[in-house]
Amino acid sequence: MKFNENITLLEPERSVWQVIEQIAYSGMQEEAFYVLDIGDIVRKHEEWKLKLPKVEPHYAVKCNDSMMVLEVLNSLGTSFDCASKAEIAKVMQLGVDPSKIIFANPVKQASHIRYAANAGVATMTFDNETELHKIKSLYPSAKLVIRIRCDATAAQCPLGMKFGVEVENAFALLETAYSLELDVIGVSFHVGSGCSDPPVFHRAIQAARALFDDAKRIGFEFTLLDIGGGFPGNKGSSLTKIAEVVNGALDKFFPDGCGVKVIAEPGRFYVASAYTLATLIHSKREVKNGDGTHSFMYYINDGVYGSFNCLLYDHAVVTPIPLKETATTKKLTTGTIWGPTCDGLDQVTGPVMLPEMEIGEWFVFQNMGAYTLPVASTFNGMPIPKVNAIANESTLLMLKDVPSLNEDNFKGNDMPNNLLAELDLSEQNRYHVDQQSTSSSLASFPMSFSSDSFIDDFVEPVN
Ligand SMILES: *Cc1c(COP(=O)(O)O)cnc(C)c1O
């Protein structure tokens, strides 16, 4: 398999911010757009391997099912957590072996179980008795993982009210599975997405250990521990705290591995910080306050029916950053930010202190990769922003051993020199940036680029 998606190569010293400036100030771009930094995903994977070396990541596809993300993660060697027939199909389209997929939805539709059976995706979770009967009739040889409930005291998106058998009822459920002659191979949990209670992983791993022992008394020999998701993914967040708790608990409750394979289902961790969104202020309204002061309402071209659905569904909090640097030296006034649709609910931020912004200026939002695009709609005819994937040379070198990535994936043959040498491609059309041209001031920004082909690939000219 090869990558289907295009990546644009950047000079090593280029930042995501500079790319956003170039696109935004090209004079041709009006639509909101994303820049996806492939290097960010690669760095996350490095962090995972370093800090949780004993835990095999199964990327939770629902978090961001972009083909580009799945291809990069597959290249890096992660496995996958799918929750539906379509997610399984999408991952298998990449050539992923079914043994690297866990069907981690405790309540599955019959047609999806039949699909998994046909595809050979054997590992699947359950948390209730009727699910066991369903699996018994549709896929009796499935490898089952019991999902227990163990909630973080604080999480951005709690899941326990919907999924996970209460620990005190887990034993009886396993007895039922045993009497149905089903093959239960391990325990899973999900402490809640966006977990801010690292010690919960200790409690959950301890509860899982107890269930491993219970299962043995029933007659099962468990071999899989699945610690779910919940890991942070925003810029500046770190895996360190949770990793310390997880590694400590694994050493204590599963010393020397005990022949148990440990996996996790990170979603947010891998993608949140890789996506940066740029939105244009297309309209502006001045509001006179009672006390003689005034504030502004800014209308941007993406909202809660698009990328910012994360405000409603993912309980996200977003921070607008004015793209134009000079704007930050201005006096701050109160502003609210609104999406482009005609719905009053379509509000991106409440009152925030901002330099006064003008129509045609841009707000940038970081950490927009998790639980945003897959849920976005074109309600009211508003388009979903285009994603521009970029990678620098060192990132590509990390991916270069990957057979799925080849020269077709790069726009305008923008390959690094050392790859060029290997692939015998010419250096023409390579993208070079004049260091002088990186000023962020709109007025002084030159409207010509050393490589027009680069910017043509990115911008969406409006008629
Ligand atoms: C959503 C989900 C995940 C991913 O959770 P994150 O908090 O994004 O890491 C993992 N496993 C299951 C079963 C999920 O439903």
Side-chain angles (χ1 to χ4, degrees):
M1 285 298 289
K2 66 171 207 62
F3 273 48
N4 297 308
E5 314 287 315
N6 284 324
I7 303 172
T8 294
L9 172 76
L10 295 180
E11 298 288 297
E13 69 282 4
R14 305 301 294 164
S15 69
V16 167
W17 195 264
Q18 289 168 323
V19 173
I20 291 173
E21 286 178 334
Q22 284 203 288
I23 300 171
Y25 299 148
S26 66
M28 295 180 281
Q29 182 74 27
E30 285 185 32
E31 301 293 349
F33 63 91
Y34 277 98
V35 171
L36 160 56
D37 181 6
I38 302 294
D40 199 79
I41 298 176
V42 174
R43 287 189 292 278
K44 287 292 180 66
H45 189 58
E46 292 302 303
E47 186 186 0
W48 185 281
K49 285 193 298 183
L50 189 72
K51 295 181 180 167
L52 286 169
K54 291 181 230 159
V55 185
E56 265 180 46
H58 286 53
Y59 172 68
V61 174
K62 81 166 187 288
C63 183
N64 184 326
D65 64 347
S66 134
M67 221 40 177
M68 177 63 85
V69 168
L70 301 181
E71 284 175 330
V72 168
L73 288 172
N74 185 35
S75 300
L76 294 171
T78 72
S79 299
F80 294 92
D81 155 10
C82 299
S84 66
K85 181 167 137 176
E87 286 185 0
I88 293 172
K90 198 162 185 178
V91 167
M92 290 191 65
Q93 212 183 310
L94 299 176
V96 173
D97 193 90
S99 67
K100 293 186 79 178
I101 297 174
I102 179 165
F103 190 176
N105 185 342
V107 288
K108 295 165 285 300
Q109 298 170 46
S111 62
H112 298 214
I113 298 176
R114 285 193 295 269
Y115 186 88
N118 274 327
V121 175
T123 312
M124 53 184 69
T125 59
F126 72 98
D127 66 2
N128 68 84
E129 191 175 327
T130 44
E131 190 74 6
L132 287 177
H133 290 285
K134 210 194 307 169
I135 295 169
K136 173 75 185 171
S137 70
L138 297 168
Y139 194 1
S141 64
K143 307 261 173 250
L144 302 184
V145 181
I146 185 169
R147 175 151 161 192
I148 57 171
R149 176 173 184 179
C150 189
D151 295 348
T153 53
Q156 195 173 327
C157 284
L159 298 167
M161 66 299 196
K162 186 167 180 185
F163 297 116
V165 60
E166 301 291 342
V167 175
E168 59 269 28
N169 300 327
F171 187 80
L173 188 56
L174 285 180
E175 284 185 316
T176 304
Y178 194 78
S179 66
L180 289 169
E181 298 176 338
L182 288 167
D183 187 10
V184 186
I185 63 161
V187 181
S188 79
F189 54 80
H190 193 310
V191 298
S193 189
C195 163
S196 42
D197 170 24
V200 71
F201 279 91
H202 183 94
R203 301 196 293 276
I205 291 169
Q206 182 169 25
R209 173 74 253 175
L211 202 54
F212 266 67
D213 298 336
D214 285 347
K216 194 163 190 143
R217 279 189 277 124
I218 297 173
F220 288 118
E221 197 61 59
F222 280 3
T223 53
L224 184 75
L225 172 65
D226 175 359
I227 66 170
F231 311 93
N234 282 359
K235 283 185 195 304
S237 68
S238 158
L239 209 50
T240 304
K241 276 208 186 97
I242 290 179
E244 272 171 16
V245 175
V246 167
N247 292 332
L250 290 178
D251 286 345
K252 181 166 179 194
F253 300 113
F254 294 89
D256 302 322
C258 299
V260 172
K261 176 165 134 175
V262 185
I263 70 170
E265 301 163 352
R268 195 184 295 284
F269 169 76
Y270 272 105
V271 288
S273 56
Y275 282 67
T276 305
L277 174 67
T279 62
L280 182 84
I281 299 169
H282 64 79
S283 304
K284 173 183 174 181
R285 206 165 110 185
E286 186 171 344
V287 182
K288 299 215 185 321
N289 304 325
D291 59 359
T293 62
H294 56 246
S295 56
F296 295 98
M297 294 171 73
Y298 299 106
Y299 302 83
I300 59 174
N301 51 0
D302 197 358
V304 300
Y305 289 94
S307 306
F308 294 104
N309 70 78
C310 60
L311 297 172
L312 303 182
Y313 298 126
D314 192 35
H315 314 287
V317 179
V318 296
T319 306
I321 308 172
L323 178 61
K324 194 167 144 189
E325 222 173 85
T326 52
T328 59
T329 60
K330 282 192 190 167
K331 178 167 137 300
L332 300 181
T333 52
T334 310
T336 50
I337 302 178
W338 302 79
T341 68
C342 295
D343 186 350
L345 181 77
D346 192 1
Q347 180 172 11
V348 175
T349 73
V352 278
M353 296 308 285
L354 292 165
E356 186 180 343
M357 303 283 286
E358 303 301 336
I359 289 175
E361 291 190 291
W362 297 80
F363 279 126
V364 174
F365 297 86
Q366 297 179 313
N367 302 312
M368 289 294 289
Y371 306 110
T372 53
L373 282 168
V375 199
S377 80
T378 58
F379 174 57
N380 232 174
M382 305 306 171
I384 295 166
K386 183 185 159 196
V387 178
N388 302 294
I390 60 165
N392 63 22
E393 200 162 327
S394 59
T395 300
L396 292 178
L397 289 171
M398 299 194 72
L399 293 173
K400 96 179 161 79
D401 294 332
V402 176
S404 61
L405 190 69
N406 72 17
E407 69 271 24
D408 293 343
N409 298 113
F410 300 94
K411 293 174 175 171
N413 291 345
D414 286 344
M415 295 291 279
N417 279 324
N418 32 8
L419 287 186
L420 280 171
E422 282 173 37
L423 294 165
D424 195 24
L425 296 173
S426 81
E427 210 194 343
Q428 63 185 9
N429 292 331
R430 247 192 108 187
Y431 167 55
H432 287 284
V433 180
D434 175 5
Q435 284 307 295
Q436 298 305 107
S437 72
T438 58
S439 158
S440 58
S441 147
L442 186 56
S444 65
F445 195 82
M447 287 301 165
S448 67
F449 296 86
S450 46
S451 166
D452 288 331
S453 66
F454 159 73
I455 211 73
D456 284 348
D457 278 337
F458 274 5
V459 297
E460 303 157 274
V462 281
N463 301 316

